[in-house]
Amino acid sequence: MAMLLMNLSGKYLIRIERENGKGRMDILMEPKVQTLPHIVIELKRLGQDESESKLHAAAEEALKQIREKDHIFGMKGRIFMYGIAFKGMEAKVVSEMMAG
């Protein structure tokens, strides 16, 4: 994640643990150019004792949290939302796009 954020920092203002809507989002990437979308990322980490089959459900839960806590409140233009779940070296990503 750190490399992704570093590579995009010229085009985006990166905010971590930013309050918006009804809580804090893990990562918000605000575009420096209007033609780029906002990117909201919510992360979930599974414990080592949990099965890998729970990755998809956890990623869906992260995406659901973005919607339920209205983390996109006040954003204009295209918004990409990502729910990402991790378990060790395994990851699952689910996404959704909205127009704000």
Side-chain angles (χ1 to χ4, degrees):
M1 288 301 295
M3 289 303 293
L4 168 71
L5 297 178
M6 286 174 47
N7 286 333
L8 294 174
S9 65
K11 295 179 181 184
Y12 285 91
L13 178 62
I14 311 296
R15 299 184 186 267
I16 308 295
E17 291 289 324
R18 178 159 187 249
E19 267 190 53
N20 198 34
K22 302 172 192 162
R24 292 181 184 271
M25 64 187 90
D26 289 331
I27 301 170
L28 169 63
M29 297 172 63
E30 292 182 293
K32 293 180 178 179
V33 179
Q34 285 184 346
T35 57
L36 294 173
H38 283 82
I39 299 173
V40 178
I41 302 171
E42 190 67 34
L43 305 170
K44 297 291 181 192
R45 183 176 173 189
L46 297 179
Q48 291 300 322
D49 58 330
E50 296 193 61
S51 70
E52 289 183 21
S53 63
K54 292 186 178 181
L55 275 174
H56 184 78
E60 289 286 350
E61 182 62 30
L63 191 59
K64 180 180 170 186
Q65 182 177 330
I66 293 170
R67 289 189 300 270
E68 286 182 350
K69 294 195 174 188
D70 199 19
H71 288 323
I72 62 171
F73 178 79
M75 293 181 197
K76 303 287 186 216
R78 291 179 302 148
I79 305 162
F80 291 173
M81 301 179 296
Y82 295 92
I84 304 174
F86 296 93
K87 180 184 186 287
M89 297 297 287
E90 299 291 321
K92 179 66 178 176
V93 179
V94 294
S95 64
E96 186 175 306
M97 200 241 347
M98 296 184 70

